[in-house]
Amino acid sequence: MLTLKNSISYAARGVNTERLNAILENAGQSVLDVGCGNGTYVLKLAEQYNILGVDIQHFETWNTMPHLFSVSDASELQFKDNSFDTVLSFETLEHLPEPKKALREYYRICRKNLILTVPNCDITSGMRQSLMTYYHWVDRTHINFFDMDTITEAVKEAGFKVVKHYYINQLSLLPLLTEAFNLSGLLGKLVRKILLKRQQRKYYITCLVVAEK
């Protein structure tokens, strides 16, 4: 069975530009959003695509277009083989007791491809030495922890061919630096701009994968 997500965060989830671009660039005409939460992508794209959304629980926002949503377990989807061109799975696999089973279901019901994201759990040596980590490590609804290598390997094991994989959602260090060094006022603003321009390494909180059947 699929475990319940954090109902507060998924009820309030908005459209992420980088995920939306991945859909617009890669999705076929018929789309299933698995783990759709409040249905923000389904509602956003309903006029452009033949799109449906499923989740383990009902969200009130579905009531605006109820025919586009249903309650379903990601590991036991109630659709026939090759029912959709594209399956979306955004921030879902980390919650599932059997993520590989869900990926096999995605493979079974899609005709063309899969677009998914999971939290990036690759901790750098600098993070370890600073005793820091991404916030999603402490989310108790997360029972799987992926980095780019492990998620792409899991997708391949399900039968897909990975055609794109990249990081999205850059982490900003400025709030931490502002707090640590009390960078307030005009001087603080100037220092933050300088630090931002001179940052040598970027950190991302999300892995995005596009895979073909």
Side-chain angles (χ1 to χ4, degrees):
M1 288 294 294
L2 176 60
T3 56
L4 292 179
K5 298 175 181 178
N6 182 315
S7 59
I8 296 177
S9 63
Y10 283 85
R13 183 167 65 175
V15 172
N16 174 276
T17 300
E18 292 172 294
R19 290 191 184 94
L20 179 62
N21 287 340
I23 297 170
L24 297 176
E25 292 171 5
N26 299 284
Q29 187 56 40
S30 62
V31 179
L32 178 68
D33 185 356
V34 180
C36 66
N38 62 357
T40 184
Y41 292 97
V42 176
L43 298 172
K44 172 74 173 179
L45 298 169
E47 294 185 0
Q48 296 175 252
Y49 294 87
N50 179 14
I51 188 169
L52 299 176
V54 298
D55 207 302
I56 195 61
Q57 65 186 85
H58 181 275
F59 289 79
E60 288 190 10
T61 47
W62 295 5
N63 296 336
T64 59
M65 302 184 76
H67 61 289
L68 298 182
F69 300 97
S70 61
V71 173
S72 181
D73 189 321
S75 299
E76 299 177 1
L77 295 166
Q78 303 303 307
F79 299 100
K80 296 180 180 179
D81 296 356
N82 303 310
S83 294
F84 301 90
D85 292 330
T86 301
V87 170
L88 309 179
S89 180
F90 295 151
E91 311 301 286
T92 297
L93 294 179
E94 66 272 15
H95 300 275
L96 305 182
E98 298 181 90
K100 291 184 178 181
K101 183 178 180 181
L103 283 168
R104 291 193 295 271
E105 277 289 270
Y106 298 170
Y107 185 86
R108 180 184 67 81
I109 67 169
C110 86
R111 286 189 293 268
K112 178 185 175 183
N113 61 7
L114 166 69
I115 306 171
L116 71 80
T117 64
V118 293
N120 175 27
C121 293
D122 183 19
I123 303 301
T124 69
S125 59
M127 289 180 177
R128 291 190 183 93
Q129 293 174 43
S130 301
L131 303 180
M132 297 175 62
T133 186
Y134 295 114
Y135 76 92
H136 42 250
W137 273 101
V138 298
D139 186 332
R140 294 186 179 183
T141 69
H142 291 188
I143 57 177
N144 303 293
F145 300 91
F146 300 98
D147 58 23
M148 189 65 82
D149 289 339
T150 57
I151 188 57
T152 54
E153 185 60 32
V155 169
K156 291 176 184 177
E157 286 181 11
F160 290 99
K161 176 184 177 182
V162 174
V163 294
K164 298 179 185 178
H165 58 92
Y166 52 93
Y167 297 101
I168 63 172
N169 298 330
Q170 184 179 344
L171 173 69
S172 173
L173 298 176
L174 291 183
L176 177 63
L177 294 173
T178 298
E179 178 183 70
F181 295 99
N182 192 24
L183 300 176
S184 58
L186 291 177
L187 178 60
K189 184 177 180 180
L190 177 60
V191 172
R192 291 196 299 271
K193 289 182 65 175
I194 294 172
L195 290 172
L196 186 61
K197 287 183 179 181
R198 295 185 62 84
Q199 183 176 337
Q200 297 299 305
R201 177 165 182 164
K202 296 181 179 180
Y203 301 85
Y204 295 89
I205 65 173
T206 306
C207 303
L208 189 149
V209 177
V210 180
E212 295 179 348
K213 189 166 182 179

